[in-house]
Amino acid sequence: MRGFLASSIGVTCAAALALPLTLPASAAPASASAPAPAVRSTSGARTASTAAAPDLPGSTQSLPLTPRTRDRTLGAAPEQGLTRADVHRFSLVGVTWSDPDTELRGQVQVRTRAAGTGTWSGWQDIDTHNEDHGADPGTAERDSGHVHGSTAPLWVGDSDGVDVRVRANTAAKRTVENIGESASGLPTGLHLELVDPGAAQAPPAGAPATTNRNRTATPRLAATELPALSRQATERELVALGAKAQPYIGPRPRIVTRHGWGADEKLREKGFVYTKKVKAVFVHHTATGNNYRCSQAPSVIRGIYRYHVKSSGWRDIGYNFLVDKCGTIYEGRAGGVAKAVMGAHTLGFNTDSMGIAVLGTFGSAKPSSAAVTAIAKLTAWKLGLYGVNPRGKTYLKSGGGNLYRKGKNVRLNVISGHRDGFATECPGRQLYGKLGSARSTSARYQGR
């Protein structure tokens, strides 16, 4: 099986399992808002803002937050924020800060003005616990020098005005400053990130083939989706490609590729990073809210992708796969849907695992049955490629986190929730409660 996964596989319907998209990784320019002081560029440096460029395939406006209260009395919760009614249109928001190892111990709320109608939304909470995502400590991605602390992104729809407030918990105030914190208890370098996901951009017609580091020639014009295959057809495809037949493997589900959801491949870093195998799956929610239509899911994913790369400083989108409320499965981090691509989804447990994120927030809202079924179908196929039982247990070695020390061998369900590897609410109480059903259904799809 390992030989199959490293073999040269072309991009055809019958051999699209690898699907390595190796496009240039030069940074695309990001537009900024109307003139404002010290807007941060996507590289993290300070620069004067420039006029927005709406013809770009997406853009990121990074605006520094400022104090919103002069109250410095003992115990008062300091606040930073920003109100702007002259920004380039955006659809996704988040807040970043300088040190990725500093926690934002407080509350972040935002309200936005809908483009076209001028109607302001009510205040919405942004999930501040995003430090539990990201690359493992000590990896090149984590130690690149480009990574920032960040909240989860929130999908707000087409907007052209914003009001944000960040309040520190009173208990977060310290008589001695923590590293990466101001005296107020808030992280230093707070910025508001306004993301325009842009329209899907097709590569230029007739673009020549490129070569990945395994020297496999692949065309730039990749397929927009991998069609679903029956279990029998999946097995025949593996045998035809020289792989060892697996006794238990689920049918390959339909997967919308990166090209299908409109990934701008110039944003991410070149090349791919792989682990040895896929032993476990971590299920997440994106915490972007549930106020999206399924037809908007590609735009939501483009927004998350841009936020992860340009705002948080990751090498690519963090998740290996994403699933929308209608049960559509999308390829996440580049490198090949059948391969053991190293993600940045579960801090401390990205090695020998993959991450699946359901678009939405599931603390109180229930995930759709279509989304849970999609998790079962995807895991039945992907775990089957590596001979893994979805109802089983496995051991992963912790890379370090707030739940397990670095180097500890941790026994986990093969299909786990994010909270099983890191102390977090992700994937939300309601989605976490559906994982037992996903395990049994996945095993059934494998023929167990």
Side-chain angles (χ1 to χ4, degrees):
M1 176 56 63
R2 188 176 302 168
F4 152 63
L5 294 172
S7 65
S8 298
I9 304 175
V11 182
T12 66
C13 288
L17 290 171
L19 202 68
L21 298 175
T22 52
L23 291 154
S26 56
S31 67
S33 67
V39 176
R40 185 173 67 201
S41 72
T42 52
S43 66
R46 302 290 180 178
T47 181
S49 66
T50 57
D55 57 330
L56 293 176
S59 62
T60 301
Q61 301 165 85
S62 188
L63 311 174
L65 302 189
T66 57
R68 285 195 129 178
T69 175
R70 295 182 178 179
D71 189 353
R72 296 291 187 263
T73 59
L74 184 64
E79 179 178 334
Q80 292 188 34
L82 179 75
T83 302
R84 290 289 295 273
D86 57 351
V87 293
H88 174 55
R89 287 162 76 147
F90 62 95
S91 296
L92 183 138
V93 303
V95 171
T96 64
W97 54 94
S98 301
D99 185 1
D101 295 319
T102 298
E103 179 183 356
L104 196 165
R105 294 173 295 176
Q107 183 183 41
V108 179
Q109 293 183 309
V110 66
R111 65 189 188 106
T112 54
R113 185 180 65 191
T117 68
T119 302
W120 284 87
S121 71
W123 288 101
Q124 300 183 75
D125 290 317
I126 296 180
D127 188 350
T128 62
H129 299 99
N130 199 43
E131 75 281 354
D132 45 6
H133 297 77
D136 290 348
T139 61
E141 181 173 1
R142 180 72 176 186
D143 297 339
S144 66
H146 303 300
V147 179
H148 295 109
S150 58
T151 67
L154 178 69
W155 178 259
V156 294
D158 191 14
S159 305
D160 59 9
V162 65
D163 192 3
V164 64
R165 58 193 184 195
V166 181
R167 294 170 172 168
N169 290 336
T170 303
K173 296 185 70 178
R174 298 290 186 270
T175 56
V176 178
E177 287 187 29
N178 295 314
I179 295 175
E181 269 186 7
S182 66
S184 68
L186 290 175
T188 58
L190 287 168
H191 277 69
L192 174 65
E193 305 289 308
L194 304 178
V195 179
D196 170 17
Q201 298 291 311
T210 187
T211 303
N212 66 20
R213 67 184 188 182
N214 291 326
R215 313 199 68 80
T216 304
T218 57
R220 289 182 186 271
L221 295 179
T224 58
E225 69 176 59
L226 304 182
L229 295 179
S230 68
R231 184 180 173 193
Q232 292 74 22
T234 299
E235 291 172 342
R236 288 195 299 269
E237 181 175 80
L238 294 179
V239 173
L241 292 169
K244 181 180 178 181
Q246 294 294 318
Y248 300 105
I249 186 169
R252 188 181 75 197
R254 171 180 173 264
I255 301 173
V256 176
T257 67
R258 290 172 63 90
H259 180 62
W261 55 261
D264 180 356
E265 300 296 346
K266 296 186 297 296
L267 292 181
R268 65 174 177 85
E269 290 186 10
K270 291 181 179 180
F272 314 113
V273 179
Y274 298 98
T275 62
K276 292 182 179 180
K277 60 185 73 173
V278 176
K279 297 171 59 179
V281 173
F282 287 99
V283 176
H284 305 256
H285 67 177
T286 58
T288 46
N290 304 312
N291 189 27
Y292 72 93
R293 300 184 303 275
C294 290
S295 61
Q296 293 177 308
S299 294
V300 177
I301 296 171
R302 289 197 303 276
I304 296 172
Y305 172 43
R306 176 172 279 274
Y307 184 76
H308 282 182
V309 175
K310 307 305 285 186
S311 299
S312 299
W314 302 354
R315 72 187 315 274
D316 194 351
I317 193 170
Y319 309 113
N320 297 103
F321 295 93
L322 301 99
V323 175
D324 69 21
K325 64 177 69 175
C326 291
T328 302
I329 300 169
Y330 301 86
E331 178 187 15
R333 180 161 288 206
V337 293
K339 295 186 177 182
V341 178
M342 171 81 85
H345 49 82
T346 306
L347 187 69
F349 289 101
N350 290 303
T351 297
D352 294 341
S353 72
M354 77 173 191
I356 302 173
V358 181
L359 298 179
T361 306
F362 302 107
S364 57
K366 294 181 178 180
S368 67
S369 58
V372 177
T373 298
I375 293 171
K377 289 181 176 180
L378 178 58
T379 54
W381 170 70
K382 186 64 178 277
L383 291 172
L385 291 174
Y386 293 84
V388 179
N389 184 347
R391 285 189 299 208
K393 304 277 188 178
T394 191
Y395 282 91
L396 293 179
K397 182 177 289 187
S398 172
N402 66 356
L403 198 56
Y404 299 105
R405 60 174 173 78
K406 184 175 181 178
K408 181 177 177 59
N409 281 320
V410 182
R411 190 169 186 258
L412 296 161
N413 287 310
V414 164
I415 298 179
S416 287
H418 187 179
R419 63 176 63 183
D420 295 321
F422 198 98
T424 175
E425 294 183 2
C426 183
R429 178 174 56 87
Q430 295 289 349
L431 179 54
Y432 188 77
K434 295 293 185 182
L435 296 188
S437 173
R439 293 183 194 107
S440 58
T441 303
S442 180
R444 187 167 66 251
Y445 282 128
Q446 282 192 347
R448 296 182 186 269

